[in-house]
Amino acid sequence: GQFFVMMSPQEVLQGGTQRSIASRAHPYSPKSEAPRATRDEKRRAQHNEVERRRRDKINNWIVQLSKIIPDCSMENTKSG
């Protein structure tokens, strides 16, 4: 394959030169866990609500189909 050098020829030829890296103005400080926990709880609660609605919708369709299809009663739907 091909290699591309993203420096000027002078920088490539002067291999002993050290490049400086800009320092951060503010040191890294991880956020406290309390806001993250409440955010996770809200997301979990919302997900649970969506899943509950999905299951309810599926169960309602099963009940409606069991009423339409002959010889299909609720006792038989649980056992397969």
Side-chain angles (χ1 to χ4, degrees):
Q2 297 179 351
F3 294 99
F4 296 96
V5 178
M6 303 300 290
M7 296 185 292
S8 69
Q10 290 80 18
E11 291 175 328
V12 173
L13 295 176
Q14 298 172 354
T17 308
Q18 292 290 328
R19 293 174 48 188
S20 63
I21 298 175
S23 63
R24 287 186 165 175
H26 302 289
Y28 175 73
S29 61
K31 295 180 180 179
S32 63
E33 293 296 320
R36 175 194 247 187
T38 56
R39 183 182 67 215
D40 288 347
E41 289 173 9
K42 288 179 184 178
R43 288 180 64 198
R44 186 175 296 118
Q46 183 178 9
H47 174 74
N48 289 344
E49 179 66 22
V50 168
E51 283 296 311
R52 186 188 59 77
R53 278 189 256 136
R54 184 186 68 84
R55 285 192 307 270
D56 288 347
K57 187 185 291 186
I58 291 171
N59 288 336
N60 287 337
W61 279 110
I62 291 173
V63 169
Q64 288 181 4
L65 285 172
S66 69
K67 291 176 182 176
I68 294 171
I69 298 173
D71 298 330
C72 183
S73 63
M74 286 307 293
E75 305 89 46
N76 294 337
T77 57
K78 297 281 183 180
S79 62

